[in-house]
Amino acid sequence: MKFSVVIPVYNVKDYLEKCVDSILAQANEETEILLVDDGSTDGVCPEICDRYGAQYPDQIRVIHQENGGLGAARNTGIEAAQGDYLVFVDSDDYLLPGLLEDVSAAIEAHPCDIIDFGFQVVREDGTVTETHAGELPHDRVLKLSEYPEMLLVLPSAWRRVYRRSLFLNTGIRYPSRVWYEDIRTTLKLFAAADGVFSIPKPYYAYLVREGSITRNTNVQRNAEILEAFDDLRSWFTQQGLWETYYDQFTRLAVDHILLAASVRVIRIDPKSELIGTFRSYMDEQFPNWSGCPLLESLPKQHKLILKLLDGKHYRTIRSLFAIKDGLG
């Protein structure tokens, strides 16, 4: 069996069937689907999972567990999988045609531990709002030591296929009950991988919906990005790699702490103490961050936001994004 598709399931009764059907449409005898019901409480998802398991007993396995969060559900799938390669699909998203066939061909032609690919951002009505074909060079197998810019790509678990042994041999797993579990995990996998190959085509539909983690208005949980960077610094230091990729991590911190987490907080509460906490963390952990050479490649809009953050013009930032949302 080549592929194990792991689907963490939690209270997604309106989306789950489309997700599973999109995988069944391209699965073959070398594909298994693991539905990991992470303690769903909607009274429907467990039944949907069991129905699929009964209807497709040779392809679909169902695991019911107590709620442990997205990371715990993925870890359950990693341990239970029988395939050589793992595909993670969030249960409110779905796969676009051709992923499994094309990834299989890519693995045959370019043996490696990770296959990277593009994705689409879609609304609930099916409208595609963004298409990302992939950020990595796609003409060769890459290693982090040769292409450190790999650390700067979007770390989402669902936009890659992974050799299962990469998890088993390294002990790398997804943290449970946290935000930012992908950045804590994907970057370690990049460092441990024996090669990454990229297919410049979108195969994944990422659904933007109300109630998803990325639209959560719980301000305090944004502070978990600092725990994520502490985790990364600890692991990469243990591997003797923190200094090697210090510039990349500095740029990554600017992207995720200042340009993402700070702005997310400002849009909800421009008076939040977290804004100052983020800046203090940057000054303490990356004292020369403003002089990082990799900041030169930031888009002009991001440089403007950094300037506004430096001047504490938080309400201006909030207003700019309010205008952007209105235009969108």
Side-chain angles (χ1 to χ4, degrees):
M1 183 177 296
K2 180 167 287 186
F3 295 112
S4 292
V5 184
V6 178
I7 309 176
V9 177
Y10 182 73
N11 293 356
V12 285
K13 58 184 178 65
D14 295 331
Y15 311 97
L16 181 56
E17 292 178 334
K18 183 172 184 176
C19 175
V20 177
D21 289 344
S22 75
I23 301 164
L24 285 170
Q26 56 183 290
N28 58 31
E29 66 277 1
E30 289 192 312
T31 305
E32 69 169 354
I33 300 172
L34 296 175
L35 294 174
V36 183
D37 171 34
D38 190 43
S40 294
T41 58
D42 60 7
V44 180
C45 280
E47 295 179 5
I48 295 176
C49 290
D50 289 339
R51 171 162 52 82
Y52 272 107
Q55 187 174 357
Y56 301 93
D58 296 331
Q59 284 187 288
I60 296 180
R61 285 192 286 146
V62 179
I63 301 171
H64 297 284
Q65 66 179 33
E66 293 184 5
N67 180 258
L70 179 60
R74 287 179 182 160
N75 292 340
T76 295
I78 292 170
E79 299 299 333
Q82 297 175 357
D84 301 313
Y85 286 85
L86 297 168
V87 186
F88 297 110
V89 182
D90 290 353
S91 50
D92 51 353
D93 301 332
Y94 52 94
L95 295 186
L96 300 175
L99 171 66
L100 299 181
E101 180 180 358
D102 291 354
V103 167
S104 182
I107 291 170
E108 293 295 328
H110 307 279
C112 59
D113 283 343
I114 300 175
I115 301 288
D116 179 271
F117 50 84
F119 63 98
Q120 293 179 343
V121 178
V122 299
R123 294 175 178 164
E124 295 204 42
D125 64 2
T127 302
V128 177
T129 60
E130 300 175 36
T131 297
H132 300 267
E135 304 140 279
L136 297 175
H138 53 270
D139 57 344
R140 64 192 186 278
V141 174
L142 303 170
K143 292 191 176 183
L144 183 61
S145 59
E146 301 164 347
Y147 193 80
E149 295 91 337
M150 194 184 305
L151 292 174
L152 304 180
V153 303
L154 189 69
S156 304
W158 42 257
R159 60 168 302 182
R160 296 170 181 95
V161 173
Y162 311 82
R163 196 189 300 268
R164 181 169 174 253
S165 60
L166 180 60
F167 287 93
L168 301 182
N169 294 341
T170 63
I172 296 171
R173 295 293 188 274
Y174 291 92
S176 301
R177 299 187 183 282
V178 299
W179 279 15
Y180 307 107
E181 69 278 331
D182 288 350
I183 194 172
R184 296 185 189 212
T185 308
T186 300
L187 305 193
K188 298 172 187 175
L189 294 172
F190 282 159
D194 185 16
V196 179
F197 185 76
S198 180
I199 305 175
K201 183 178 177 181
Y203 293 102
Y204 191 96
Y206 174 79
L207 180 68
V208 176
R209 65 181 179 93
E210 295 297 332
S212 66
I213 289 176
T214 53
R215 298 173 71 88
N216 195 302
T217 57
N218 186 334
V219 171
Q220 289 303 314
R221 296 216 64 178
N222 287 280
E224 293 180 36
I225 188 62
L226 305 185
E227 298 171 12
F229 270 87
D230 287 343
D231 180 9
L232 287 171
R233 184 175 62 253
S234 175
W235 189 88
F236 275 83
T237 297
Q238 290 175 6
Q239 308 301 315
L241 296 174
W242 180 256
E243 293 300 325
T244 301
Y245 300 113
Y246 182 79
D247 282 346
Q248 284 73 31
F249 279 112
T250 301
R251 166 63 191 269
L252 198 72
V254 171
D255 288 344
H256 288 270
I257 297 175
L258 295 181
L259 291 173
S262 290
V263 170
R264 192 180 295 119
V265 170
I266 287 169
R267 296 176 71 176
I268 301 169
D269 179 12
K271 295 182 180 180
S272 173
E273 294 180 356
L274 270 183
I275 305 166
T277 300
F278 290 147
R279 177 57 186 264
S280 296
Y281 184 92
M282 291 295 301
D283 291 342
E284 292 169 5
Q285 301 299 327
F286 302 93
N288 300 314
W289 67 265
S290 61
C292 175
L294 298 182
L295 297 188
E296 290 298 320
S297 60
L298 278 173
K300 290 183 180 179
Q301 313 90 289
H302 291 180
K303 291 180 179 179
L304 172 61
I305 296 300
L306 284 180
K307 189 173 183 179
L308 292 171
L309 282 170
D310 195 45
K312 299 183 178 180
H313 300 299
Y314 305 144
R315 292 190 179 278
T316 301
I317 294 173
R318 190 184 191 190
S319 297
L320 286 173
F321 278 91
I323 293 171
K324 179 182 177 181
D325 291 342
L327 294 174

